Amino acid sequence: MSKGTPGPTPGFLVWRLANKWRVAVDRALAPLGLTHAQYSLVASLHGMRRAGERPSQRRLADHTGLEALYVSKLARALESAGLIERTRDPRDPRAVQLALTEQGQAVTQHAIEVVQHLLEQLLEPLGGPDAPRTQAFTDELTALLDAPLGPPVPNDQNTKGTSP
């Protein structure tokens, strides 16, 4: 927390909420053999497959916001577990396409149900998943995610006289 702020900063609260959510998802999915990060991949693959897409690792990295190298590592682990298959893209031999296996689809369906239940618990204080407060919260989170974020540029007129 910063000096002069009467309570926790928004950044601290976002960090705490993200950690609370990650830990809850990790614990809930452990019996299925998934971590939160792995879930983000298989659930994204599930949704993309339903939209008719068989994404590359790069496309999945862009979709999830995870680093491409991390997606590659997660994909290898999920492939070893029999949940996804990785194949060369016939249009680009450098690219690897990802798809859920039959077992991966079954595990993902169950995992989505588990996480949906957690989400309902999380959103209960706002009135539940369909409540106006939840929609407003979702809109605010989307605005924050759409905001560019990076280190200050040295000698930038907009950051002169400010400290990082």
Side-chain angles (χ1 to χ4, degrees):
M1 292 191 280
S2 64
K3 291 182 186 177
T5 303
T9 65
F12 179 74
L13 293 173
V14 167
W15 177 74
R16 289 280 315 273
L17 182 58
N19 281 320
K20 176 182 180 176
W21 179 249
R22 184 191 50 77
V23 167
V25 172
D26 276 342
R27 286 181 181 153
L29 295 179
L32 298 175
L34 292 174
T35 65
H36 183 260
Q38 290 171 327
Y39 170 77
S40 71
L41 258 60
V42 295
S44 293
L45 279 173
H46 174 77
M48 295 168 110
R49 180 186 60 83
R50 290 180 63 189
E53 189 175 348
R54 184 177 177 143
S56 67
Q57 285 184 173
R58 163 54 62 197
R59 169 79 177 94
L60 191 58
D62 292 344
H63 178 79
T64 59
L66 297 171
E67 293 292 326
L69 191 60
Y70 189 44
V71 168
S72 177
K73 177 183 173 184
L74 290 170
R76 282 192 304 276
L78 290 165
E79 182 181 39
S80 293
L83 301 180
I84 68 168
E85 59 185 17
R86 299 170 30 170
T87 56
R88 290 281 168 204
D89 186 333
R91 295 163 297 177
D92 181 357
R94 298 168 296 155
V96 175
Q97 288 183 316
L98 304 173
L100 292 169
T101 63
E102 198 171 306
Q103 177 188 357
Q105 289 178 36
V107 169
T108 300
Q109 280 293 122
H110 189 197
I112 288 170
E113 292 169 10
V114 168
V115 172
Q116 189 62 40
H117 179 70
L118 279 177
L119 186 59
E120 290 169 6
Q121 288 178 20
L122 178 70
L123 297 175
E124 182 68 29
L126 300 180
D130 299 321
R133 285 182 66 198
T134 299
Q135 184 58 54
F137 179 62
T138 302
D139 293 344
E140 298 293 344
L141 289 172
T142 301
L144 292 174
L145 286 169
D146 289 343
L149 193 61
V153 178
N155 299 321
D156 182 344
Q157 288 301 95
N158 296 323
T159 59
K160 271 203 181 273
T162 61
S163 59

